[in-house]
Amino acid sequence: MKGMRRLDEVTAAVGEGRSVSCMSSAPMRSRNRGLSRRNKGLALLGFLLCPLGLAPQSWKVVIHEWDVPTPKSRPHDPTAAPDGALWYTGQLANKLGRLDPKTGTIKEFPLKTPDSGPHGLVADSQGNIWFTANFKAYIGKLNPRTGEVTEYRMTDERVKDPHSLIFDRDGKVLFTAQQSNFVGVLDPKSGRVSVQEIPTAKALPYGIILGLDGAGYFCEFGSNKIGKIDPKTLGITEFPLPEGARPRRLANNPDRRIYYSDFARGFLGRLDPRTGRAEDWPSPGGPNSQPYGIASTADGTVWYSEAGVQPNTLVAFDPRSNAFQSWPIPSGGGVVRNMVATEDGRLYLACSGVNKVAIAQVSH
């Protein structure tokens, strides 16, 4: 079929991975900062501090990778469509791509505005793919059945770079604009775009999720805060994180708390939005591991990537035991900027620097 081709699959059966257990830094923050500097002793000390009676889970992971058709397209963010397809943004190729996991075929959809820089994306219940045009100041909707793209332009000239997006409970699109320092809401029914400036200057609003309370939660990558926006009033609340934290991506979890990747400090963090309490753990790769893309599966496991280690790793965290387990990404990853979890527990990844998309199959 024109526009589609069968791609070779790279498979890594990486078994049980490497395990580390450690305690939260919330009650002993100064001590754990020292542990980050003495990373070689982390595994042993963490094992001794692991809560008694809570044996860590053991996962087995197999990672399959596919080359995307257009060279140097920088696949940026993935999402899972209702039919199970993996979609991604080809940021430098000005295309969206669809991988059929059953056949391994990829079809690409060109955008009508040149150099749009598609970045974040999300699927609606009808299978339409919504994306942020990071370079051209609009939010787009692709109809995969026809290839038609509808564009919703920013109406405030200060908002130039829509970044990440998510749907709220009413079907409206919540989005961040990183360099512009805004968050906003798009009503697809009316086409109206409303925006709100972040109270903190140069906050660099980044990844965004819909919280279990119906509010939008977003990273302030330029500060040590997570923001919350009310989709109806556009009121913003900010939650402080540990000093020096720089949250980049967020994930909901069945324990009703929000986990975040602390890119600057090499930590995995957790925020309880009901109390505002934050706690964190050193990532297995150490203080320069640069945790990035993150997701949670239905069993409560938190998954994220370490972009600062080579090869990039896929890391699992068990909130019951505070135990970590990690696996190398076969191609090296080239920075896994984002990932999503499917309802059946698979992980969809975009490996930007090596021009691949990947699916991680997880079993216990």
Side-chain angles (χ1 to χ4, degrees):
M1 182 180 295
K2 186 178 181 180
M4 301 181 69
R5 61 171 174 154
R6 185 62 181 259
L7 300 171
D8 291 335
E9 180 182 280
V10 179
T11 304
V14 288
E16 296 184 356
R18 180 170 60 89
S19 298
V20 175
S21 301
C22 63
M23 69 182 298
S24 165
S25 67
M28 299 181 65
R29 191 170 309 283
S30 61
R31 183 175 184 179
N32 270 338
R33 277 201 292 265
L35 288 178
S36 294
R37 292 190 295 269
R38 300 188 301 273
N39 192 249
K40 292 182 179 179
L42 177 59
L44 176 60
L45 183 57
F47 174 78
L48 296 174
L49 295 175
C50 187
L52 296 177
L54 291 179
Q57 292 195 61
S58 180
W59 303 269
K60 292 185 178 181
V61 171
V62 177
I63 300 173
H64 307 267
E65 295 186 294
W66 292 264
D67 293 303
V68 305
T70 301
K72 299 180 181 179
S73 63
R74 193 197 284 176
H76 205 289
D77 281 16
T79 197
D83 62 359
L86 182 160
W87 283 82
Y88 65 91
T89 49
Q91 188 175 34
L92 300 184
N94 207 47
K95 299 175 181 177
L96 304 185
R98 178 189 184 275
L99 166 71
D100 183 338
K102 295 179 181 179
T103 66
T105 56
I106 293 179
K107 181 178 181 180
E108 295 183 315
F109 297 79
L111 304 180
K112 62 183 181 181
T113 297
D115 196 31
S116 289
H119 188 284
L121 78 170
V122 66
D124 65 23
S125 58
Q126 287 75 47
N128 298 306
I129 306 300
W130 296 72
F131 63 94
T132 53
N134 192 236
F135 300 165
K136 294 295 184 180
Y138 72 87
I139 291 175
K141 180 183 75 170
L142 168 71
N143 182 336
R145 295 170 291 279
T146 65
E148 178 185 4
V149 176
T150 305
E151 298 179 349
Y152 300 86
R153 296 281 170 177
M154 298 292 104
T155 52
D156 189 320
E157 63 181 11
R158 295 175 297 172
V159 183
K160 302 181 184 300
D161 60 337
H163 184 278
S164 298
L165 75 171
I166 195 71
F167 282 107
D168 75 0
R169 292 173 178 173
D170 296 328
K172 296 178 181 178
V173 178
L174 309 181
F175 65 93
T176 57
Q178 183 188 8
Q179 298 294 334
S180 303
N181 214 44
F182 279 81
V183 286
V185 180
L186 162 66
D187 184 348
K189 295 180 180 179
S190 65
R192 180 183 178 188
V193 177
S194 304
V195 297
Q196 182 67 49
E197 193 168 9
I198 308 298
T200 298
K202 300 180 180 179
L204 302 180
Y206 208 87
I208 187 169
I209 60 171
L210 186 69
L212 299 179
D213 57 2
Y217 288 83
F218 57 92
C219 295
E220 297 190 17
F221 185 44
S223 72
N224 62 325
K225 298 175 183 178
I226 288 176
K228 172 184 176 181
I229 181 170
D230 184 322
K232 294 182 171 59
T233 67
L234 300 190
I236 292 176
T237 304
E238 295 180 307
F239 298 90
L241 302 177
E243 182 181 353
R246 291 296 182 269
R248 198 150 193 180
R249 296 284 189 179
L250 301 172
N252 283 311
N253 192 270
D255 66 12
R256 303 192 66 82
R257 287 172 287 190
I258 294 171
Y259 289 77
Y260 61 91
S261 52
D262 183 348
F263 187 84
R265 297 168 63 236
F267 275 67
L268 171 68
R270 179 169 69 192
L271 171 71
D272 187 336
R274 298 163 295 184
T275 65
R277 182 175 184 264
E279 53 188 329
D280 52 24
W281 298 263
S283 193
N288 297 317
S289 57
Q290 298 180 342
Y292 205 154
I294 189 170
S296 287
T297 44
D299 64 356
T301 305
V302 181
W303 299 86
Y304 66 96
S305 64
E306 292 178 318
V309 299
Q310 296 299 324
N312 289 179
T313 57
L314 178 64
V315 182
F317 174 73
D318 180 1
R320 293 175 58 255
S321 60
N322 293 352
F324 291 85
Q325 199 172 346
S326 60
W327 301 261
I329 293 175
S331 65
V335 183
V336 177
R337 300 174 186 274
N338 205 2
M339 68 175 73
V340 295
T342 64
E343 292 182 358
D344 61 0
R346 291 174 295 164
L347 299 166
Y348 287 2
L349 294 73
C351 303
S352 293
V354 293
N355 215 47
K356 298 176 184 287
V357 292
I359 297 179
Q361 300 279 358
V362 180
S363 60
H364 294 281

